[in-house]
Amino acid sequence: MNASLHLPGRIVSLRRQLVLKGLLPMTVVALAMTATLAVMQFRALGSEAHAVARIQAVRLAGSVNGVMGDDALRDALTRALSRSAPTQRAILYRDDAPDLIVTSGRDAPHRHGLHVRLSTAAGQLETVSDASALRERRTAATLMCLLLGAGVCGVFFLARRAVEHDVAQPVDRLRARLVQALHPRGTHAGTPDDPVRAIDTLLDELVQLRARHEAAMADALRQRLQDIARHTRFVEQIGDHFRQPLQALSLFVAGMQPGEDLRQRAVLGQMRTSLTRLTELLDGLLEMARFDAGAVEPAPTAVLAADLFVRVRSHVEADAMRLGVDVRWRGGRVPFHADGALLVELLNRLVSCAVLSTPHGRVLVAIRRRGDAIRLEVRDNGMGVEPAEQARLFEEFTRLPGQPGYGLALAVARRIADTLGGHIGVRSSPGRGTLFWVELDHAAIGPASRGVVSALIRHAAS
Protein backbone atom coordinates (compact mmCIF):
# COMPACT_ATOMS: atom_id res chain seq x y z
CA MET A 1 0.00 0.00 0.00
CA ASN A 2 1.39 3.39 -0.98
CA ALA A 3 0.28 6.62 0.66
CA SER A 4 -0.30 9.53 -1.70
CA LEU A 5 0.45 12.16 0.96
CA HIS A 6 4.02 11.09 1.75
CA LEU A 7 6.43 14.03 1.83
CA PRO A 8 10.06 13.53 0.72
CA GLY A 9 12.91 14.46 3.02
CA ARG A 10 12.31 15.53 6.58
CA ILE A 11 9.16 14.23 8.24
CA VAL A 12 6.85 17.03 9.29
CA SER A 13 3.72 16.96 11.37
CA LEU A 14 0.27 16.58 9.88
CA ARG A 15 -0.70 20.08 11.00
CA ARG A 16 2.30 21.58 9.20
CA GLN A 17 1.52 19.55 6.10
CA LEU A 18 -2.03 20.86 6.04
CA VAL A 19 -0.81 24.45 6.55
CA LEU A 20 2.04 24.29 4.03
CA LYS A 21 0.17 22.40 1.34
CA GLY A 22 -3.35 23.67 1.88
CA LEU A 23 -4.02 26.86 3.83
CA LEU A 24 -0.79 28.81 3.25
CA PRO A 25 -0.90 28.79 -0.58
CA MET A 26 -4.52 29.94 -0.56
CA THR A 27 -3.68 32.68 1.95
CA VAL A 28 -0.73 33.90 -0.15
CA VAL A 29 -2.94 33.97 -3.25
CA ALA A 30 -5.60 35.94 -1.37
CA LEU A 31 -3.04 38.48 -0.09
CA ALA A 32 -1.53 38.83 -3.58
CA MET A 33 -4.99 39.49 -5.00
CA THR A 34 -5.56 42.07 -2.26
CA ALA A 35 -2.28 43.84 -3.13
CA THR A 36 -3.13 43.75 -6.83
CA LEU A 37 -6.53 45.24 -6.09
CA ALA A 38 -4.88 48.03 -4.07
CA VAL A 39 -2.46 48.86 -6.89
CA MET A 40 -5.25 48.89 -9.46
CA GLN A 41 -7.36 51.11 -7.19
CA PHE A 42 -4.46 53.56 -6.74
CA ARG A 43 -3.89 53.73 -10.48
CA ALA A 44 -7.57 54.22 -11.19
CA LEU A 45 -7.82 57.06 -8.68
CA GLY A 46 -4.69 58.76 -10.06
CA SER A 47 -5.90 58.41 -13.65
CA GLU A 48 -9.28 59.85 -12.71
CA ALA A 49 -7.71 62.86 -10.89
CA HIS A 50 -5.31 63.60 -13.80
CA ALA A 51 -8.18 63.34 -16.29
CA VAL A 52 -10.23 65.91 -14.31
CA ALA A 53 -7.21 68.24 -14.02
CA ARG A 54 -6.54 68.00 -17.75
CA ILE A 55 -10.19 68.73 -18.62
CA GLN A 56 -10.08 71.88 -16.48
CA ALA A 57 -6.75 72.88 -18.01
CA VAL A 58 -8.35 72.60 -21.46
CA ARG A 59 -11.17 74.87 -20.28
CA LEU A 60 -8.67 77.45 -19.00
CA ALA A 61 -6.74 77.29 -22.26
CA GLY A 62 -9.96 77.91 -24.17
CA SER A 63 -10.71 80.98 -22.05
CA VAL A 64 -7.52 82.78 -23.19
CA ASN A 65 -7.77 82.06 -26.86
CA GLY A 66 -8.20 85.37 -28.80
CA VAL A 67 -7.66 87.54 -25.72
CA MET A 68 -5.04 90.31 -26.01
CA GLY A 69 -3.38 92.30 -23.27
CA ASP A 70 -2.19 91.40 -19.85
CA ASP A 71 -5.22 92.73 -18.03
CA ALA A 72 -7.63 90.96 -20.33
CA LEU A 73 -5.70 87.69 -20.01
CA ARG A 74 -5.58 87.97 -16.21
CA ASP A 75 -9.27 88.74 -16.06
CA ALA A 76 -10.15 85.81 -18.32
CA LEU A 77 -8.02 83.38 -16.31
CA THR A 78 -9.48 84.67 -13.03
CA ARG A 79 -13.05 84.13 -14.21
CA ALA A 80 -12.14 80.66 -15.50
CA LEU A 81 -10.43 79.71 -12.23
CA SER A 82 -13.50 80.74 -10.25
CA ARG A 83 -15.49 78.18 -12.19
CA SER A 84 -12.84 75.43 -11.74
CA ALA A 85 -12.72 74.66 -8.04
CA PRO A 86 -9.99 71.97 -7.98
CA THR A 87 -7.65 74.16 -10.09
CA GLN A 88 -5.90 76.61 -7.79
CA ARG A 89 -3.21 78.22 -9.98
CA ALA A 90 -2.66 79.01 -13.64
CA ILE A 91 0.72 80.10 -15.06
CA LEU A 92 0.99 81.40 -18.62
CA TYR A 93 4.57 81.22 -19.94
CA ARG A 94 5.16 83.77 -22.76
CA ASP A 95 8.31 84.23 -24.81
CA ASP A 96 7.84 87.96 -25.58
CA ALA A 97 6.41 89.04 -22.23
CA PRO A 98 6.71 88.25 -18.52
CA ASP A 99 5.00 85.12 -17.23
CA LEU A 100 1.45 85.65 -16.04
CA ILE A 101 0.48 83.96 -12.73
CA VAL A 102 -3.15 83.84 -11.61
CA THR A 103 -4.26 82.12 -8.36
CA SER A 104 -7.65 81.32 -6.92
CA GLY A 105 -6.60 82.15 -3.37
CA ARG A 106 -6.66 78.45 -2.31
CA ASP A 107 -3.06 77.57 -2.97
CA ALA A 108 -1.89 74.12 -2.01
CA PRO A 109 1.69 73.06 -1.43
CA HIS A 110 3.48 72.72 -4.72
CA ARG A 111 4.54 69.15 -4.12
CA HIS A 112 0.92 68.05 -3.51
CA GLY A 113 -0.58 69.59 -6.64
CA LEU A 114 -1.40 68.07 -9.99
CA HIS A 115 0.47 69.87 -12.79
CA VAL A 116 -0.88 69.96 -16.35
CA ARG A 117 0.88 71.85 -19.21
CA LEU A 118 -0.85 72.85 -22.47
CA SER A 119 0.09 74.96 -25.49
CA THR A 120 -2.11 77.95 -26.30
CA ALA A 121 -1.94 80.84 -28.76
CA ALA A 122 -0.75 83.11 -25.96
CA GLY A 123 2.01 80.66 -24.77
CA GLN A 124 2.47 77.58 -22.56
CA LEU A 125 -0.27 77.27 -19.92
CA GLU A 126 0.46 75.31 -16.74
CA THR A 127 -2.28 74.55 -14.22
CA VAL A 128 -1.89 73.34 -10.64
CA SER A 129 -4.88 71.48 -9.12
CA ASP A 130 -5.55 70.53 -5.50
CA ALA A 131 -4.67 66.83 -4.84
CA SER A 132 -6.05 66.59 -1.30
CA ALA A 133 -9.17 64.74 -2.47
CA LEU A 134 -6.93 62.23 -4.31
CA ARG A 135 -4.87 61.72 -1.14
CA GLU A 136 -8.00 61.15 0.92
CA ARG A 137 -9.36 58.60 -1.55
CA ARG A 138 -6.01 56.83 -1.70
CA THR A 139 -5.90 56.77 2.11
CA ALA A 140 -9.39 55.23 2.22
CA ALA A 141 -8.37 52.68 -0.41
CA THR A 142 -5.26 51.85 1.60
CA LEU A 143 -7.28 51.31 4.77
CA MET A 144 -9.77 49.12 2.87
CA CYS A 145 -6.96 46.95 1.46
CA LEU A 146 -5.33 46.69 4.89
CA LEU A 147 -8.62 45.62 6.43
CA LEU A 148 -9.09 43.09 3.63
CA GLY A 149 -5.57 41.72 4.24
CA ALA A 150 -6.25 41.56 7.97
CA GLY A 151 -9.47 39.66 7.24
CA VAL A 152 -7.58 37.19 5.05
CA CYS A 153 -5.03 36.65 7.85
CA GLY A 154 -7.84 36.24 10.38
CA VAL A 155 -9.53 33.65 8.19
CA PHE A 156 -6.18 31.88 7.84
CA PHE A 157 -5.75 31.56 11.61
CA LEU A 158 -9.38 30.50 12.12
CA ALA A 159 -9.09 27.92 9.34
CA ARG A 160 -5.86 26.70 10.89
CA ARG A 161 -7.62 26.15 14.20
CA ALA A 162 -10.56 24.47 12.44
CA VAL A 163 -8.21 22.17 10.50
CA GLU A 164 -6.44 21.25 13.72
CA HIS A 165 -9.75 20.52 15.44
CA ASP A 166 -11.63 18.84 12.59
CA VAL A 167 -8.83 17.09 10.68
CA ALA A 168 -5.61 16.75 12.61
CA GLN A 169 -7.10 15.67 15.92
CA PRO A 170 -9.49 13.09 14.36
CA VAL A 171 -6.55 11.67 12.37
CA ASP A 172 -4.51 11.43 15.56
CA ARG A 173 -7.42 9.71 17.30
CA LEU A 174 -7.79 7.32 14.35
CA ARG A 175 -4.13 6.52 14.56
CA ALA A 176 -4.41 5.87 18.28
CA ARG A 177 -7.44 3.61 17.78
CA LEU A 178 -5.67 1.63 15.06
CA VAL A 179 -2.65 1.19 17.30
CA GLN A 180 -4.90 0.10 20.17
CA ALA A 181 -6.83 -2.33 17.95
CA LEU A 182 -3.76 -3.87 16.32
CA HIS A 183 -1.50 -3.78 19.39
CA PRO A 184 -3.74 -3.86 22.46
CA ARG A 185 -0.85 -4.78 24.73
CA GLY A 186 1.51 -2.12 23.42
CA THR A 187 3.85 -4.65 21.79
CA HIS A 188 4.28 -2.78 18.51
CA ALA A 189 7.76 -1.68 17.47
CA GLY A 190 6.69 1.92 16.83
CA THR A 191 5.23 3.93 13.97
CA PRO A 192 6.51 7.01 12.06
CA ASP A 193 6.01 10.46 13.53
CA ASP A 194 3.98 11.55 10.51
CA PRO A 195 0.35 10.55 11.23
CA VAL A 196 -0.35 9.89 7.55
CA ARG A 197 2.57 7.52 7.25
CA ALA A 198 1.71 6.01 10.61
CA ILE A 199 -1.88 5.32 9.52
CA ASP A 200 -0.57 3.92 6.23
CA THR A 201 1.71 1.55 8.16
CA LEU A 202 -1.12 0.52 10.45
CA LEU A 203 -3.39 -0.11 7.48
CA ASP A 204 -0.69 -2.33 5.98
CA GLU A 205 -0.71 -4.29 9.23
CA LEU A 206 -4.51 -4.41 9.15
CA VAL A 207 -4.51 -5.78 5.59
CA GLN A 208 -1.96 -8.41 6.55
CA LEU A 209 -3.97 -9.29 9.65
CA ARG A 210 -7.11 -9.65 7.54
CA ALA A 211 -5.28 -11.87 5.06
CA ARG A 212 -4.05 -14.07 7.91
CA HIS A 213 -7.54 -14.11 9.41
CA GLU A 214 -9.13 -15.13 6.11
CA ALA A 215 -6.53 -17.86 5.66
CA ALA A 216 -7.19 -19.07 9.21
CA MET A 217 -10.95 -18.99 8.59
CA ALA A 218 -10.51 -20.98 5.38
CA ASP A 219 -8.38 -23.55 7.23
CA ALA A 220 -10.94 -23.71 10.05
CA LEU A 221 -13.78 -24.17 7.56
CA ARG A 222 -11.89 -26.89 5.75
CA GLN A 223 -11.13 -28.58 9.07
CA ARG A 224 -14.77 -28.24 10.11
CA LEU A 225 -15.96 -29.85 6.89
CA GLN A 226 -13.51 -32.69 7.40
CA ASP A 227 -14.74 -33.09 11.00
CA ILE A 228 -18.35 -33.16 9.80
CA ALA A 229 -17.53 -35.82 7.22
CA ARG A 230 -15.60 -37.86 9.79
CA HIS A 231 -18.37 -37.44 12.36
CA THR A 232 -20.98 -38.50 9.81
CA ARG A 233 -19.03 -41.63 8.93
CA PHE A 234 -18.57 -42.36 12.63
CA VAL A 235 -22.30 -41.99 13.31
CA GLU A 236 -23.15 -44.27 10.38
CA GLN A 237 -20.67 -46.90 11.57
CA ILE A 238 -21.94 -46.69 15.17
CA GLY A 239 -25.51 -47.09 13.90
CA ASP A 240 -24.60 -50.14 11.84
CA HIS A 241 -22.63 -51.75 14.67
CA PHE A 242 -25.43 -51.23 17.20
CA ARG A 243 -28.32 -52.11 14.92
CA GLN A 244 -26.99 -55.52 13.93
CA PRO A 245 -26.87 -56.91 17.48
CA LEU A 246 -30.22 -55.31 18.32
CA GLN A 247 -31.85 -56.82 15.24
CA ALA A 248 -30.35 -60.20 16.02
CA LEU A 249 -31.54 -59.96 19.61
CA SER A 250 -35.01 -58.90 18.46
CA LEU A 251 -35.23 -61.92 16.13
CA PHE A 252 -34.04 -64.17 18.93
CA VAL A 253 -36.67 -62.80 21.35
CA ALA A 254 -39.39 -62.98 18.71
CA GLY A 255 -38.63 -66.68 18.21
CA MET A 256 -38.90 -67.57 21.87
CA GLN A 257 -41.97 -69.58 22.93
CA PRO A 258 -42.70 -69.10 26.65
CA GLY A 259 -45.48 -71.68 26.70
CA GLU A 260 -48.05 -71.55 29.49
CA ASP A 261 -45.73 -70.26 32.16
CA LEU A 262 -46.99 -66.78 33.18
CA ARG A 263 -43.66 -65.82 34.65
CA GLN A 264 -41.86 -66.59 31.42
CA ARG A 265 -44.47 -64.61 29.49
CA ALA A 266 -43.90 -61.58 31.75
CA VAL A 267 -40.14 -61.78 31.34
CA LEU A 268 -40.50 -62.12 27.57
CA GLY A 269 -42.79 -59.07 27.47
CA GLN A 270 -40.27 -57.02 29.48
CA MET A 271 -37.50 -58.09 27.13
CA ARG A 272 -39.51 -57.01 24.08
CA THR A 273 -40.37 -53.67 25.73
CA SER A 274 -36.73 -53.07 26.65
CA LEU A 275 -35.60 -53.88 23.11
CA THR A 276 -38.17 -51.48 21.68
CA ARG A 277 -37.13 -48.67 24.01
CA LEU A 278 -33.45 -49.35 23.37
CA THR A 279 -34.08 -49.16 19.62
CA GLU A 280 -35.96 -45.89 20.07
CA LEU A 281 -33.11 -44.48 22.17
CA LEU A 282 -30.53 -45.48 19.57
CA ASP A 283 -32.63 -43.94 16.77
CA GLY A 284 -33.03 -40.68 18.71
CA LEU A 285 -29.33 -40.40 19.53
CA LEU A 286 -28.35 -41.12 15.93
CA GLU A 287 -30.84 -38.51 14.68
CA MET A 288 -29.42 -35.86 17.02
CA ALA A 289 -25.88 -36.79 16.01
CA ARG A 290 -26.77 -36.41 12.32
CA PHE A 291 -28.19 -32.92 12.83
CA ASP A 292 -25.40 -31.82 15.17
CA ALA A 293 -22.80 -32.96 12.66
CA GLY A 294 -24.44 -30.92 9.90
CA ALA A 295 -24.98 -34.02 7.81
CA VAL A 296 -28.59 -33.07 6.95
CA GLU A 297 -29.10 -30.52 4.17
CA PRO A 298 -32.67 -29.35 3.46
CA ALA A 299 -33.97 -29.62 -0.11
CA PRO A 300 -36.92 -27.18 -0.39
CA THR A 301 -39.71 -27.94 -2.85
CA ALA A 302 -43.31 -26.84 -3.35
CA VAL A 303 -45.40 -28.65 -0.75
CA LEU A 304 -49.12 -28.76 -0.01
CA ALA A 305 -50.18 -29.05 3.63
CA ALA A 306 -52.58 -31.90 2.80
CA ASP A 307 -49.61 -33.98 1.67
CA LEU A 308 -47.99 -33.55 5.10
CA PHE A 309 -51.25 -34.39 6.87
CA VAL A 310 -51.72 -37.65 4.94
CA ARG A 311 -48.19 -38.83 5.66
CA VAL A 312 -48.25 -37.87 9.36
CA ARG A 313 -51.73 -39.36 9.88
CA SER A 314 -50.43 -42.78 8.81
CA HIS A 315 -47.81 -42.65 11.59
CA VAL A 316 -50.00 -41.48 14.49
CA GLU A 317 -53.31 -43.11 13.57
CA ALA A 318 -52.63 -46.35 15.48
CA ASP A 319 -51.63 -44.55 18.72
CA ALA A 320 -54.59 -42.15 18.40
CA MET A 321 -57.08 -45.04 18.06
CA ARG A 322 -55.47 -46.96 20.93
CA LEU A 323 -55.60 -43.95 23.29
CA GLY A 324 -58.97 -42.67 22.09
CA VAL A 325 -57.59 -39.30 20.88
CA ASP A 326 -59.58 -37.25 18.34
CA VAL A 327 -57.03 -35.72 15.90
CA ARG A 328 -58.30 -33.01 13.58
CA TRP A 329 -56.47 -31.31 10.71
CA ARG A 330 -56.89 -27.73 9.43
CA GLY A 331 -55.33 -25.79 6.53
CA GLY A 332 -54.75 -28.64 4.11
CA ARG A 333 -54.98 -26.34 1.06
CA VAL A 334 -52.09 -24.07 2.14
CA PRO A 335 -49.12 -24.35 -0.27
CA PHE A 336 -45.59 -23.44 0.81
CA HIS A 337 -41.93 -23.97 -0.05
CA ALA A 338 -39.92 -26.22 2.27
CA ASP A 339 -38.32 -29.64 2.66
CA GLY A 340 -41.32 -31.99 2.80
CA ALA A 341 -39.45 -34.97 4.28
CA LEU A 342 -38.00 -32.96 7.19
CA LEU A 343 -41.36 -31.30 7.84
CA VAL A 344 -43.09 -34.70 7.98
CA GLU A 345 -40.52 -35.88 10.52
CA LEU A 346 -40.91 -32.67 12.57
CA LEU A 347 -44.71 -32.67 12.50
CA ASN A 348 -44.80 -36.40 13.26
CA ARG A 349 -42.78 -35.89 16.45
CA LEU A 350 -44.94 -32.97 17.64
CA VAL A 351 -48.25 -34.77 16.92
CA SER A 352 -46.98 -37.99 18.51
CA CYS A 353 -46.05 -36.10 21.69
CA ALA A 354 -49.48 -34.46 21.77
CA VAL A 355 -51.32 -37.74 21.22
CA LEU A 356 -49.33 -39.65 23.84
CA SER A 357 -49.84 -36.91 26.47
CA THR A 358 -53.60 -36.49 25.84
CA PRO A 359 -55.37 -39.84 26.26
CA HIS A 360 -59.09 -39.62 25.48
CA GLY A 361 -58.63 -35.99 24.51
CA ARG A 362 -58.48 -33.84 21.38
CA VAL A 363 -55.54 -32.72 19.22
CA LEU A 364 -55.79 -29.99 16.57
CA VAL A 365 -53.10 -29.78 13.84
CA ALA A 366 -53.24 -26.58 11.79
CA ILE A 367 -51.11 -24.85 9.17
CA ARG A 368 -51.74 -21.21 8.32
CA ARG A 369 -50.04 -18.40 6.51
CA ARG A 370 -48.68 -15.28 8.27
CA GLY A 371 -47.43 -12.76 5.73
CA ASP A 372 -44.58 -14.48 3.93
CA ALA A 373 -44.17 -17.05 6.73
CA ILE A 374 -45.84 -20.38 7.42
CA ARG A 375 -46.93 -21.34 10.96
CA LEU A 376 -47.56 -24.94 12.05
CA GLU A 377 -49.49 -25.47 15.29
CA VAL A 378 -50.21 -28.64 17.28
CA ARG A 379 -52.70 -27.97 20.10
CA ASP A 380 -54.02 -30.44 22.68
CA ASN A 381 -56.30 -30.24 25.73
CA GLY A 382 -54.15 -32.41 27.98
CA MET A 383 -52.78 -31.74 31.43
CA GLY A 384 -50.39 -28.99 30.30
CA VAL A 385 -46.89 -28.12 31.48
CA GLU A 386 -45.73 -25.98 34.37
CA PRO A 387 -44.11 -22.65 33.32
CA ALA A 388 -40.83 -23.55 35.03
CA GLU A 389 -40.56 -26.71 32.90
CA GLN A 390 -41.46 -25.18 29.54
CA ALA A 391 -37.96 -23.74 28.95
CA ARG A 392 -36.46 -27.26 29.24
CA LEU A 393 -38.90 -29.10 26.98
CA PHE A 394 -36.59 -28.94 23.93
CA GLU A 395 -33.56 -30.16 25.83
CA GLU A 396 -32.31 -33.74 25.65
CA PHE A 397 -33.96 -36.33 27.93
CA THR A 398 -36.83 -34.04 28.94
CA ARG A 399 -40.23 -35.77 28.81
CA LEU A 400 -43.72 -34.37 28.80
CA PRO A 401 -45.91 -35.36 31.79
CA GLY A 402 -47.35 -38.85 31.34
CA GLN A 403 -45.34 -39.54 28.18
CA PRO A 404 -43.19 -42.67 27.83
CA GLY A 405 -39.76 -42.75 26.21
CA TYR A 406 -36.48 -41.01 26.87
CA GLY A 407 -37.46 -37.42 26.04
CA LEU A 408 -35.54 -37.10 22.76
CA ALA A 409 -38.45 -36.37 20.38
CA LEU A 410 -38.67 -32.64 21.11
CA ALA A 411 -34.86 -32.26 21.12
CA VAL A 412 -34.76 -33.74 17.61
CA ALA A 413 -37.73 -31.53 16.59
CA ARG A 414 -35.79 -28.42 17.66
CA ARG A 415 -32.81 -29.49 15.55
CA ILE A 416 -35.06 -30.07 12.55
CA ALA A 417 -36.58 -26.59 12.94
CA ASP A 418 -33.09 -25.07 13.16
CA THR A 419 -32.02 -26.95 10.03
CA LEU A 420 -35.06 -25.60 8.17
CA GLY A 421 -34.20 -22.06 9.29
CA GLY A 422 -37.34 -21.72 11.39
CA HIS A 423 -38.36 -21.12 14.98
CA ILE A 424 -40.02 -23.52 17.40
CA GLY A 425 -41.77 -22.78 20.66
CA VAL A 426 -44.37 -23.88 23.20
CA ARG A 427 -47.22 -22.29 25.17
CA SER A 428 -48.91 -24.21 27.92
CA SER A 429 -51.09 -23.76 30.96
CA PRO A 430 -51.44 -26.49 33.60
CA GLY A 431 -54.81 -28.20 33.22
CA ARG A 432 -55.65 -26.40 29.95
CA GLY A 433 -53.41 -28.08 27.39
CA THR A 434 -50.29 -27.34 25.37
CA LEU A 435 -49.59 -25.58 22.07
CA PHE A 436 -46.46 -26.39 20.04
CA TRP A 437 -45.74 -24.05 17.13
CA VAL A 438 -43.18 -23.86 14.34
CA GLU A 439 -42.75 -20.78 12.13
CA LEU A 440 -40.85 -20.89 8.83
CA ASP A 441 -39.86 -17.46 7.49
CA HIS A 442 -40.16 -16.73 3.76
CA ALA A 443 -41.74 -20.15 3.15
CA ALA A 444 -45.14 -18.95 1.91
CA ILE A 445 -45.85 -18.92 -1.80
CA GLY A 446 -48.76 -17.56 -3.81
CA PRO A 447 -52.12 -19.29 -3.51
CA ALA A 448 -52.21 -22.38 -5.69
CA SER A 449 -54.87 -22.73 -8.34
CA ARG A 450 -57.76 -25.13 -7.83
CA GLY A 451 -56.31 -27.58 -10.37
CA VAL A 452 -52.88 -27.63 -8.73
CA VAL A 453 -54.37 -28.11 -5.26
CA SER A 454 -56.53 -30.98 -6.49
CA ALA A 455 -53.58 -32.60 -8.19
CA LEU A 456 -51.46 -32.37 -5.04
CA ILE A 457 -54.26 -33.80 -2.92
CA ARG A 458 -54.71 -36.75 -5.32
CA HIS A 459 -50.95 -37.30 -5.27
CA ALA A 460 -50.90 -37.23 -1.45
CA ALA A 461 -53.82 -39.66 -1.25
CA SER A 462 -52.19 -42.08 -3.66
Side-chain angles (χ1 to χ4, degrees), residues 18-30 156:
L18 294 173
V19 171
L20 292 178
K21 303 184 70 174
L23 295 179
L24 187 59
M26 293 188 294
T27 304
V28 171
V29 170
F156 168 76

Coordinates of all heavy atoms in Angstrom, one line a residue, residues 18-30 156:
L18 N -0.8 20.2 6.5 CA -2.0 20.9 6.0 C -1.9 22.4 5.8 O -2.4 22.9 4.9 CB -3.1 20.6 7.1 CG -3.5 19.1 7.2 CD1 -4.5 19.0 8.4 CD2 -4.2 18.6 6.0
V19 N -1.0 23.0 6.7 CA -0.8 24.5 6.5 C 0.0 24.7 5.3 O -0.3 25.6 4.5 CB -0.1 25.0 7.8 CG1 0.3 26.5 7.6 CG2 -1.1 24.9 9.0
L20 N 1.1 24.0 5.1 CA 2.0 24.3 4.0 C 1.4 24.0 2.7 O 1.7 24.7 1.7 CB 3.3 23.5 4.2 CG 4.2 23.9 5.4 CD1 5.5 23.0 5.5 CD2 4.7 25.4 5.2
K21 N 0.7 22.9 2.6 CA 0.2 22.4 1.3 C -1.3 22.8 1.1 O -1.8 22.6 0.0 CB 0.3 20.9 1.3 CG 1.7 20.4 1.5 CD 1.8 18.9 1.3 CE 1.7 18.5 -0.2 NZ 1.9 17.1 -0.4
G22 N -2.0 23.3 2.1 CA -3.4 23.7 1.9 C -3.7 25.1 2.2 O -4.0 25.9 1.3
L23 N -3.6 25.5 3.4 CA -4.0 26.9 3.8 C -3.1 28.0 3.4 O -3.5 29.0 2.9 CB -4.2 26.9 5.4 CG -5.3 26.0 5.9 CD1 -5.3 26.1 7.5 CD2 -6.6 26.4 5.4
L24 N -1.7 27.7 3.6 CA -0.8 28.8 3.3 C -0.8 29.2 1.8 O -0.8 30.4 1.5 CB 0.6 28.4 3.7 CG 1.7 29.5 3.6 CD1 1.3 30.6 4.5 CD2 3.0 28.9 4.0
P25 N -0.8 28.3 0.8 CA -0.9 28.8 -0.6 C -2.2 29.6 -0.9 O -2.1 30.6 -1.6 CB -0.9 27.5 -1.4 CG -0.2 26.5 -0.5 CD -0.6 26.9 0.9
M26 N -3.3 29.2 -0.3 CA -4.5 29.9 -0.6 C -4.4 31.3 0.1 O -4.9 32.3 -0.5 CB -5.7 29.2 0.0 CG -6.0 27.9 -0.8 SD -7.6 27.1 -0.3 CE -7.1 26.6 1.4
T27 N -3.8 31.4 1.3 CA -3.7 32.7 2.0 C -2.8 33.6 1.2 O -3.0 34.8 1.0 CB -3.1 32.5 3.4 OG1 -4.0 31.6 4.1 CG2 -3.0 33.8 4.1
V28 N -1.6 33.1 0.6 CA -0.7 33.9 -0.2 C -1.4 34.4 -1.4 O -1.3 35.6 -1.8 CB 0.5 33.1 -0.5 CG1 1.4 33.8 -1.5 CG2 1.3 32.8 0.8
V29 N -2.2 33.5 -2.1 CA -2.9 34.0 -3.3 C -3.9 35.1 -2.9 O -4.1 36.1 -3.6 CB -3.6 32.8 -3.9 CG1 -4.6 33.2 -5.0 CG2 -2.6 31.8 -4.5
A30 N -4.6 34.9 -1.8 CA -5.6 35.9 -1.4 C -4.9 37.3 -1.1 O -5.4 38.3 -1.5 CB -6.4 35.5 -0.2
F156 N -7.2 32.9 7.8 CA -6.2 31.9 7.8 C -6.0 31.2 9.2 O -5.9 30.0 9.4 CB -4.9 32.5 7.4 CG -3.7 31.7 7.6 CD1 -3.4 30.6 6.8 CD2 -2.8 32.0 8.6 CE1 -2.3 29.8 7.0 CE2 -1.7 31.2 8.8 CZ -1.4 30.1 8.0

